Amino acid sequence: MAALGSFNRLFNFATNTCVKRILPTSTNKQYYLGLKLQQIEVAGYATRKQPIRYKLPWFKPEPSYQEEIPEEYEEKKEKAAADIINKINKQIATNQVGRLFAVIYLCGTQFKITENDVIAIEGHWPPQPGDQLNLEKVLLVGSKDFTLIGRPILNRELVSVNATVIQKTLSHTITRFRMRPRKQFKRINCKHDMIINIIIKKIVQLFLTRIPRTMLRINSIIINGEVDKKKEVEGLDRIY
Amino acid sequence: MSNKHLFQKFGFLRAPFGIGVGRYVCQLQRITIKFCKSHGCSLGIRSFLEHDLIDYAKQNPGVVVYVKPRRHRSPVLKAEYLNGETSWICIANFSRQDIIQWMELLKTQYHDGPALRLLKLWHTDFPSIQGPWTPFTFKNPSLNQIKFPDKKIGEALKFKPTATEELIRLFEEQQEAEKFDQEIPVQKGVS
């Protein structure tokens, strides 16, 4: 009887551990993509009891109801959109767009630029003076009559923004000065500040802090071809 | 001690001679290296002259390089640019590697960058293409026809229903619920 009891206990232990190991995979059947994104578990790593829930503002929760768009409404809207797109295409084809402006994303910052602008980029950046660049992350292109908005960027082949590097230089010496009024407290470039600065912006010769800057001249902003027309083959200029 | 208390030039981004509109032209015209043949603080520049100067001159055929020895004075780099600006660096006790980098910097810029505090990292001759924003952009043009004082526009903004409105709503809901209750037994009888 004692032997049977001990066997029972052993069996219970074995089943419990097995079930615990099996359960997390068997119970979390992944029905739809939203759940899948939330519960990514990597084999071989220690798994959390509760999966990390990423709450990103641009991932909207899946609606419980089925969306249906009324057909009549869509037709009207599509017709209006087609009219506008035709007008834009006509302007582009007859070269009547006038001066264009663009919002580009470059080295972590956005610039609103038009032809013959000069912009300065901060930080270490490899391009040398005289280099011709094609800026491809174009968030928005506008003219006097229309605006093309990318989601988040426009098609690389639709818009081409060309620029030339004209100068690489250093900024003025940047100091970090702190003062508390009526407290007899003034600090300028303490050791602690300097250490932070060195880590963030290392430069050629460091007395205080000078940030490397690269000046860019925008040469042209051109819309190539028709808007809202998808080519059959894209990216042929990018075969290496 | 804010920025306006510093005796430093400040200004906006500029580019001389429309540089970069067509072909890029190296703006550095002349570079003068002044050094001492015997003093210790010129050690780095002497080593630069020995090993790297010829290469530098060959790589930059558009730049005139002058070398000017002088006794017991600290070494100096002086660059002159196409638009007449000059940049001056004291290179006492600099190593050879440092001097290579500074020479490169003098070549890539068109004015003494650290001497000017930029107020903006952007320069444009056309600040607005679709027209600057005004309080009347994207407003209904019918607003132009209205005569003030206008009762509808002048009304106080309402963020919550008043107590009376709330009571009316509750009463209506109650009425509807009663109607619904009356309808259900009839349907049950039918089925």
Side-chain angles (χ1 to χ4, degrees):
Chain A
M1 200 59 197
L4 198 70
S6 65
F7 171 74
N8 224 358
R9 241 177 281 152
L10 195 74
F11 179 74
N12 275 339
F13 173 74
T15 47
N16 274 338
T17 47
C18 282
V19 164
K20 264 182 201 169
R21 274 181 195 169
I22 294 160
L23 262 180
T25 50
S26 62
T27 50
N28 292 350
K29 275 190 179 172
Q30 292 155 351
Y31 290 105
Y32 58 95
L33 199 71
L35 193 77
K36 219 176 188 178
L37 282 173
Q38 287 173 355
Q39 300 179 335
I40 294 167
E41 286 179 3
V42 182
Y45 290 92
T47 49
R48 282 164 172 253
K49 278 183 182 174
Q50 285 180 336
I52 308 163
R53 290 187 187 280
Y54 297 104
K55 264 194 174 177
L56 296 173
W58 52 88
F59 279 128
K60 283 176 186 169
E62 247 180 48
S64 56
Y65 50 86
Q66 198 178 351
E67 280 184 10
E68 217 173 271
I69 303 158
E71 281 177 19
E72 191 192 352
Y73 177 70
E74 203 180 36
E75 253 178 32
K76 260 188 193 171
K77 224 179 173 183
E78 267 188 13
K79 207 185 169 189
D83 281 354
I84 291 167
I85 287 163
N86 277 337
K87 276 184 190 170
I88 294 169
N89 282 336
K90 209 177 172 185
Q91 274 203 356
I92 293 166
T94 53
N95 203 8
Q96 288 177 329
V97 285
R99 181 171 279 274
L100 293 170
F101 70 93
V103 177
I104 53 157
Y105 186 90
L106 191 59
C107 292
T109 45
Q110 295 181 8
F111 292 93
K112 185 223 154 206
I113 50 161
T114 178
E115 231 169 82
N116 289 352
D117 272 14
V118 182
I119 54 173
I121 293 138
E122 292 198 319
H124 289 279
W125 202 45
Q128 289 298 313
D131 287 2
Q132 305 271 342
L133 306 176
N134 188 14
L135 310 175
E136 292 184 342
K137 287 182 187 170
V138 183
L139 304 173
L140 182 147
V141 165
S143 89
K144 200 172 181 325
D145 300 329
F146 65 87
T147 314
L148 308 178
I149 301 166
R151 298 190 306 182
I153 58 168
L154 287 164
N155 191 345
R156 205 169 48 75
E157 291 183 2
L158 180 67
V159 187
S160 51
V161 179
N162 296 305
T164 314
V165 183
I166 53 172
Q167 168 170 256
K168 278 176 93 77
T169 184
L170 299 176
S171 73
H172 66 285
T173 310
I174 292 162
T175 55
R176 185 168 182 268
F177 178 71
R178 293 177 290 153
M179 196 268 255
R180 287 174 196 159
R182 287 166 278 116
K183 294 291 177 286
Q184 293 76 47
F185 179 91
K186 280 183 183 182
R187 299 283 183 281
I188 184 159
N189 296 321
C190 350
K191 208 177 169 188
H192 182 67
D193 301 343
M194 290 292 282
I195 289 164
I196 291 170
N197 284 339
I198 292 164
I199 291 165
I200 300 169
K201 305 147 188 166
K202 211 183 164 198
I203 56 154
V204 183
Q205 178 77 26
L206 204 142
F207 294 110
L208 296 167
T209 315
R210 294 184 207 168
I211 308 164
R213 278 182 183 153
T214 310
M215 315 310 181
L216 270 186
R217 166 85 74 180
I218 308 300
N219 291 128
S220 60
I221 300 168
I222 305 163
I223 299 177
N224 307 314
E226 292 189 331
V227 176
D228 202 38
K229 200 164 240 185
K230 200 162 188 191
K231 285 178 191 169
E232 268 187 35
V233 187
E234 277 183 352
L236 281 179
D237 56 328
R238 274 208 163 185
I239 297 168
Y240 300 113
Chain B
M1 209 182 85
S2 57
N3 271 329
K4 68 180 175 186
H5 294 101
L6 299 172
F7 293 103
Q8 188 168 35
K9 276 186 192 172
F10 57 92
F12 291 98
L13 197 56
R14 68 214 153 79
F17 307 131
I19 175 178
V21 170
R23 175 173 72 92
Y24 170 78
V25 177
C26 181
Q27 297 288 300
L28 180 63
Q29 293 297 296
R30 259 162 256 108
I31 189 158
T32 313
I33 302 168
K34 299 172 191 169
F35 72 106
C36 174
K37 286 181 180 175
S38 56
H39 205 279
C41 69
S42 294
L43 190 68
I45 186 68
R46 267 181 269 139
S47 137
F48 174 83
L49 294 179
E50 205 172 314
H51 297 103
D52 307 305
L53 186 71
I54 303 281
D55 288 343
Y56 183 85
K58 271 183 187 166
Q59 279 166 13
N60 308 295
V63 182
V64 185
V65 184
Y66 296 104
V67 179
K68 184 180 172 188
R70 50 185 195 170
R71 270 183 219 145
H72 309 145
R73 303 277 304 275
S74 55
V76 156
L77 293 180
K78 189 173 184 183
E80 289 169 56
Y81 293 100
L82 196 60
N83 59 349
E85 286 197 36
T86 55
S87 178
W88 185 94
I89 300 166
C90 174
I91 47 165
N93 296 321
F94 277 28
S95 69
R96 185 181 146 204
Q97 293 303 321
D98 283 355
I99 291 164
I100 289 172
Q101 292 196 11
W102 280 110
M103 291 287 278
E104 201 62 27
L105 184 86
L106 289 175
K107 193 185 81 188
T108 54
Q109 65 188 13
Y110 53 68
H111 72 285
D112 190 9
L116 186 77
R117 179 165 60 87
L118 286 186
L119 297 171
K120 249 183 201 178
L121 300 179
W122 174 59
H123 173 266
T124 183
D125 294 329
F126 304 90
S128 180
I129 283 152
Q130 295 182 344
W133 182 88
T134 69
F136 304 107
T137 38
F138 308 126
K139 285 279 187 276
N140 194 348
S142 67
L143 280 171
N144 292 330
Q145 301 284 326
I146 290 167
K147 267 189 184 175
F148 290 98
D150 187 78
K151 258 194 182 176
K152 209 180 175 188
I153 291 174
E155 256 182 0
L157 290 175
K158 241 189 229 171
F159 298 107
K160 279 180 190 172
T162 58
T164 323
E165 282 170 353
E166 191 66 20
L167 271 177
I168 290 166
R169 190 184 63 80
L170 283 173
F171 176 71
E172 277 172 358
E173 267 183 19
Q174 203 183 354
Q175 293 264 309
E176 266 185 30
E178 273 171 18
K179 243 188 214 173
F180 191 66
D181 285 345
Q182 281 169 3
E183 277 171 16
I184 286 170
V186 176
Q187 281 177 354
K188 269 180 187 172
V190 169
S191 63

